[in-house]
């Protein structure tokens, strides 16, 4: 009975996968018909009502529900696109509006916050240091979406901006208590704010941690410059821990997309945000959690300063469309604080830049960067330095400034200086628009090597069918291509291993069916064996001579 029920179930087409397949095909067909109808309705809606035909008007009347759905969907799409453009648009308030807003901020700070606040910073604070942000008009993602390249300087060749130095002044005045930053450039520390007052949520390019003992090393160079950006070991910097009996690998502290933040740093930032009565957000769009949730933890007020839309605009006490430098500098002026100037000799990173003879990215007049992202001097300064000491025959140029690769202090040769002067002169004439601009020509030098001889004209093989050789016009061709006869390829017989059993039986049957043909029996004649003598010396010499002559003819 069980076997009979199983066979009946298999025989029933509704119980097999045939029904599922049929339903799937019908669903695809229905979807195609629905999409075709939607395309037709959209084409009709796009036309003005006066230009529609009777059939098109009838189509809209028949599918009133579908038409209303499509119109609502199209309206949502237009609204979404418009809001996306508005969010990406950078706005800047007038100078008077900014002054009034800063006055309101300072009033809230004095009356409600006890003249103390916590600062939350993003990429917009460092844009004036030539470090691009992500979503701005000249941001990394914005330019990549347009297919444009983004110039990125080395982190060592950037220096703290006016906003960073204003933060230093506010911290010294005990108005600014803590800084929670999403930046990895370390410019707050380089401006003079102590390490224990900063929470770097996404890490720092100047710090690396041991994978074994968790010890943190603070360096005066970018620890991420020599490591791979992807893969299993993308966080390893290539250095080992310096603690005795610890063989741990050193890893950077950068938090990449999809990775979790350091729990200790995040907990410290949350504690500071909860204790603050007022939080000020500068240069961040507040789109990436958990950093986007920290500013609104303040007890009373949240002030947002950004050129673009942020996710906390509706919940903020005040929103200012302004640059970070302007707001923080004006806050210092309201409090009567003097903003200090940045001195690169007071911190190790800037001191190294000056010792190498390099300059900072924000001091570059023209947007010129070398392949490794190091800031370069503009053309006039390079030309002036390259020609220094040329008359006396002693060059004073630092080659690292010019090329970024050679060791510092290396003297340029006379030929290199002359070539640099020619190139700069040609570029200068092209900028001025001169027609007869001098062109740099490269001359081929004769090789002084004893092993390298000048290239001679070697006889090459003639083209098939040609009547003249490349060297002379009278010599006949080496061969006549018209006399070449291609051999016909004989069909390859199948091997025994390639033949199937049925083919083998068929071949045996055909062989048996063939008529037998009488074959002649060979007659064997017995002959007397003649002794063969070895060749004489004269025969050997004659054979060698003939072989040599034949080889010469073949050549």
């Amino acid at each position: 009975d069980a076997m009979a029920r199983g066979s009946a179930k298999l025989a029933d087409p509704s119980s097999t996968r045939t029904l599922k397949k049929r339903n799937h095909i019908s669903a695809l067909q229905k979807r195609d018909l629905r999409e075709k109808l939607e395309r037709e309705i959209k084409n009709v809606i796009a036309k003005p009502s006066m230009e529609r035909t009777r059939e098109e008007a009838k189509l809209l009347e028949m599918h009133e529900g579908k038409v209303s759905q499509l119109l609502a969907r199209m309206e949502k799409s237009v609204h979404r696109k418009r809001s996306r453009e508005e969010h990406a648009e950078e706005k800047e308030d007038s100078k008077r509006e900014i002054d009034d807003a800063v006055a309101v901020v300072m009033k809230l700070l004095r009356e409600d916050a006890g003249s103390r606040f916590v600062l939350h910073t993003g990429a917009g604070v460092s844009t004036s240091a030539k470090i691009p942000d992500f979503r701005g008009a000249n941001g990394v993602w914005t330019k990549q979406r347009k297919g444009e390249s983004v110039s990125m300087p080395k982190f060592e060749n950037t220096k703290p901006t006016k906003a960073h130095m204003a933060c230093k002044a506010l911290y010294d005045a005990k108005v600014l208590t803590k800084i929670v930053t999403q930046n990895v450039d370390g410019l707050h520390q380089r401006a003079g704010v102590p390490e224990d007052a900063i929470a770097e949520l996404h890490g720092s390019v100047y710090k690396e941690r041991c994978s074994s003992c968790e010890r943190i090393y603070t360096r005066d160079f970018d620890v991420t410059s020599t490591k791979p950006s992807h893969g299993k070991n993308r966080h390893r910097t290539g250095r080992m821990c310096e603690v005795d009996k610890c063989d741990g690998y050193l890893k950077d502290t950068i938090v990449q997309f999809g990775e979790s933040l350091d729990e200790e740093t995040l907990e410290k930032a949350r504690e500071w945000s909860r204790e603050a009565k007022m939080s000020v957000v500068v240069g961040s769009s507040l789109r990436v959690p958990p950093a986007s949730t920290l500013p609104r933890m303040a007890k009373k007020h949240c002030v947002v300063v950004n050129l673009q839309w942020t996710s906390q605009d509706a919940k903020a006490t005040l929103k200012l469309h302004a640059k970070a430098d302007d707001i923080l500098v004006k806050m210092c002026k309201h409090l009567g604080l003097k903003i200090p100037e940045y001195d690169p000799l007071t911190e190790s990173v800037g001191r190294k830049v000056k010792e190498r003879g390099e300059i900072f990215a924000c001091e570059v007049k023209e947007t010129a960067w070398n392949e490794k992202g190091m800031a370069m001097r503009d053309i006039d300064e390079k030309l002036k330095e390259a020609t220094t000491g040329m008359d006396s025959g002693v060059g004073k140029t630092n080659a690292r400034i010019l090329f970024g690769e050679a060791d510092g202090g290396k003297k340029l040769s006379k030929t290199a200086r002359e070539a640099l002067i020619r190139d700069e002169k040609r570029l200068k004439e092209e900028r001025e628009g001169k027609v007869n601009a001098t062109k740099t020509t490269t001359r081929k030098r004769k090789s002084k090597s004893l092993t390298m001889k000048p290239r001679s004209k070697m006889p090459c093989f003639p083209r098939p069918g040609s009547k003249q050789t490349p060297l002379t016009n009278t010599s006949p061709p080496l061969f006549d291509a018209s006399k070449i006869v291609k051999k016909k390829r004989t069909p390859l017989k199948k091997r025994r291993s390639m033949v199937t059993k049925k083919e083998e039986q068929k071949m045996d049957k055909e062989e048996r069916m063939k008529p037998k043909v009488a074959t002649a029996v060979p007659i064997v004649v017995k002959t007397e064996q003649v002794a063969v003598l070895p060749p004489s010396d004269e025969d050997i010499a004659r054979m060698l001579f003939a072989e040599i002559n034949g080889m010469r003819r073949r050549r």
Side-chain angles (χ1 to χ4, degrees):
D1 295 340
M3 290 179 65
R5 283 198 300 271
S7 61
K9 193 175 181 180
L10 289 172
D12 187 10
S14 60
S15 62
T16 58
R17 62 179 182 179
T18 308
L19 183 60
K20 292 182 180 179
K21 189 175 181 181
R22 194 183 300 124
N23 293 337
H24 180 66
I25 292 170
S26 64
L28 291 175
Q29 290 173 352
K30 287 178 183 178
R31 190 187 66 181
D32 292 342
L33 291 172
R34 185 174 63 252
E35 290 177 354
K36 184 180 179 182
L37 179 62
E38 288 179 359
R39 284 196 299 270
E40 291 177 358
I41 293 173
K42 284 181 181 179
N43 293 334
V44 175
I45 292 172
K47 290 183 180 180
S49 58
M50 301 296 293
E51 296 180 4
R52 295 172 188 168
T53 61
R54 289 183 179 179
E55 296 177 355
E56 292 174 346
K58 191 176 180 181
L59 179 68
L60 296 179
E61 291 176 1
M62 289 173 62
H63 304 280
E64 288 183 2
K66 180 67 71 176
V67 170
S68 59
Q69 289 179 8
L70 285 174
L71 287 174
R73 201 186 305 166
M74 290 166 69
E75 190 177 352
K76 283 183 181 178
S77 176
V78 171
H79 177 70
R80 201 182 301 118
K81 185 178 179 182
R82 193 185 299 116
S83 63
R84 198 184 301 120
E85 290 175 355
E86 289 176 358
H87 292 170
E89 183 183 358
E90 290 187 352
K91 301 175 184 178
E92 189 171 1
D93 297 335
S94 63
K95 187 177 179 182
R96 185 176 178 180
E97 291 175 343
I98 292 173
D99 292 338
D100 295 343
V102 171
V104 173
V105 171
M106 300 308 297
K107 184 180 178 181
L108 294 173
L109 186 63
R110 284 193 302 270
E111 294 179 357
D112 297 340
S115 299
R116 296 168 73 85
F117 71 96
V118 172
L119 182 67
H120 299 260
T121 61
V125 179
S126 303
T127 50
S128 56
K130 300 298 181 182
I131 299 176
D133 56 3
F134 294 97
R135 299 178 180 87
N138 298 317
V140 177
W141 294 341
T142 308
K143 286 200 169 186
Q144 284 179 352
R145 206 178 296 119
K146 296 178 182 178
E148 300 176 3
S149 59
V150 184
S151 58
M152 181 68 187
K154 288 170 66 176
F155 283 105
E156 298 97 317
N157 288 87
T158 59
K159 72 174 185 178
T161 62
K162 291 181 181 179
H164 293 98
M165 302 311 297
C167 292
K168 162 70 174 169
L170 291 169
Y171 180 81
D172 292 342
K174 296 183 179 180
V175 177
L176 173 61
T177 57
K178 305 292 180 182
I179 298 176
V180 180
T181 181
Q182 302 175 50
N183 298 338
V184 298
D185 49 30
L187 291 179
H188 285 297
Q189 290 92 327
R190 291 177 62 186
V193 181
E195 186 73 37
D196 56 357
I198 302 171
E200 294 173 313
L201 296 176
H202 298 160
S204 174
V205 295
Y206 299 111
K207 294 178 183 177
E208 49 188 350
R209 182 188 286 110
C210 177
S211 59
S212 181
C213 65
E214 296 293 326
R215 181 182 176 183
I216 295 177
Y217 295 86
T218 303
R219 309 292 188 183
D220 54 2
F221 56 88
D222 182 7
V223 300
T224 66
S225 58
T226 57
K227 73 177 188 66
S229 57
H230 301 286
K232 181 182 177 182
N233 300 321
R234 63 184 178 275
H235 286 292
R236 287 190 185 179
T237 59
R239 287 174 286 276
M240 304 295 290
C241 185
E242 298 172 4
V243 178
D244 294 338
K245 298 180 181 180
C246 180
D247 298 330
Y249 293 100
L250 294 183
K251 296 183 177 181
D252 64 4
T253 57
I254 304 298
V255 180
Q256 299 183 1
F257 282 98
E259 297 177 347
S260 58
L261 274 65
D262 181 48
E263 286 295 331
E264 185 180 348
T265 306
L266 182 58
E267 189 59 35
K268 181 171 62 175
R270 282 174 176 162
E271 185 181 351
W272 293 349
S273 301
R274 290 192 195 100
E275 292 175 356
K277 291 183 179 180
M278 181 176 178
S279 62
V280 179
V281 183
V282 180
S284 175
S285 60
L286 298 175
R287 296 191 189 186
V288 181
S292 60
T293 62
L294 297 177
R296 65 187 181 192
M297 291 181 180
K299 294 178 180 178
K300 290 191 176 181
H301 300 295
C302 176
V303 179
V304 178
V305 181
N306 199 40
L307 294 174
Q308 292 179 327
W309 171 91
T310 70
S311 63
Q312 302 298 322
D313 286 355
K315 301 176 183 178
T317 308
L318 186 65
K319 168 66 187 291
L320 287 80
H321 292 94
K323 294 181 180 177
D325 294 348
D326 299 340
I327 295 298
L328 293 171
V329 168
K330 287 180 183 296
M331 289 177 70
C332 290
K333 285 183 179 179
H334 269 269
L335 296 170
L337 301 176
K338 185 180 179 182
I339 300 174
E341 292 291 331
Y342 169 69
D343 186 8
L345 300 179
T346 57
E347 49 98 14
S348 58
V349 179
R351 196 184 308 118
K352 269 195 171 184
V353 172
K354 288 300 180 183
E355 287 175 359
R356 291 196 297 262
E358 299 173 1
I359 61 171
F360 295 106
C362 58
E363 298 174 1
V364 180
K365 293 182 181 178
E366 297 184 8
T367 55
W369 315 91
N370 70 347
E371 294 178 355
K372 293 198 173 183
M374 188 185 73
M376 307 290 285
R377 281 185 171 88
D378 58 287
I379 294 171
D380 297 330
E381 290 181 359
K382 284 195 293 181
L383 180 61
K384 184 178 178 181
E385 289 194 5
T387 54
T388 305
M390 194 167 177
D391 297 333
S392 60
V394 180
K396 298 179 182 179
T397 306
N398 187 349
R400 185 183 292 276
I401 297 173
L402 294 173
F403 305 110
E405 292 296 332
D407 293 331
K410 184 178 178 181
K411 297 175 184 178
L412 291 174
S413 63
K414 185 178 179 182
T415 310
R417 279 181 288 177
E418 289 176 354
L420 183 63
I421 292 167
R422 280 199 307 271
D423 292 341
E424 302 300 340
K425 187 177 178 182
R426 179 176 58 81
L427 291 172
K428 190 175 180 181
E429 289 178 355
E430 288 179 359
R431 286 200 305 271
E432 292 174 356
K434 290 187 179 181
V435 180
N436 298 324
T438 56
K439 296 182 180 179
T440 56
T441 57
T442 55
R443 294 181 297 175
K444 291 183 179 179
R445 294 184 179 181
K446 291 184 179 180
S447 176
K448 295 181 181 180
S449 175
L450 298 174
T451 57
M452 295 295 292
K453 295 181 180 179
R455 189 175 178 180
S456 58
K457 206 169 185 181
M458 299 296 292
C460 57
F461 199 72
R463 192 180 300 163
S466 62
K467 296 181 180 180
Q468 296 177 353
T469 57
L471 297 182
T472 59
N473 297 333
T474 56
S475 56
L478 296 180
F479 67 95
D480 191 0
S482 60
K483 293 182 179 180
I484 298 175
V485 180
K486 290 185 178 180
K487 292 183 178 180
K488 293 183 179 180
R489 291 186 63 182
T490 55
L492 187 66
K493 292 183 178 179
K494 285 187 177 181
R495 295 193 298 272
R496 201 72 180 174
S497 60
M498 297 169 63
V499 180
T500 60
K501 194 172 181 180
K502 288 184 179 180
E503 290 179 351
E504 188 177 354
Q505 293 175 359
K506 189 177 179 181
M507 289 165 61
D508 294 340
K509 188 177 180 181
E510 287 178 357
E511 287 180 3
R512 287 197 300 270
M513 295 295 290
K514 283 182 181 180
K516 294 183 179 181
V517 183
T519 54
V521 180
I523 300 169
V524 182
V525 180
K526 292 183 180 181
T527 56
E528 295 181 1
Q529 292 184 355
V530 181
V532 181
L533 298 174
S536 61
D537 295 341
E538 293 179 358
D539 295 337
I540 293 171
R542 198 180 302 109
M543 290 164 63
L544 287 172
F545 184 72
E547 184 67 26
I548 291 168
N549 283 339
M551 289 172 63
R552 286 177 179 171
R553 288 195 205 96
R554 284 196 294 274
R555 284 184 181 177

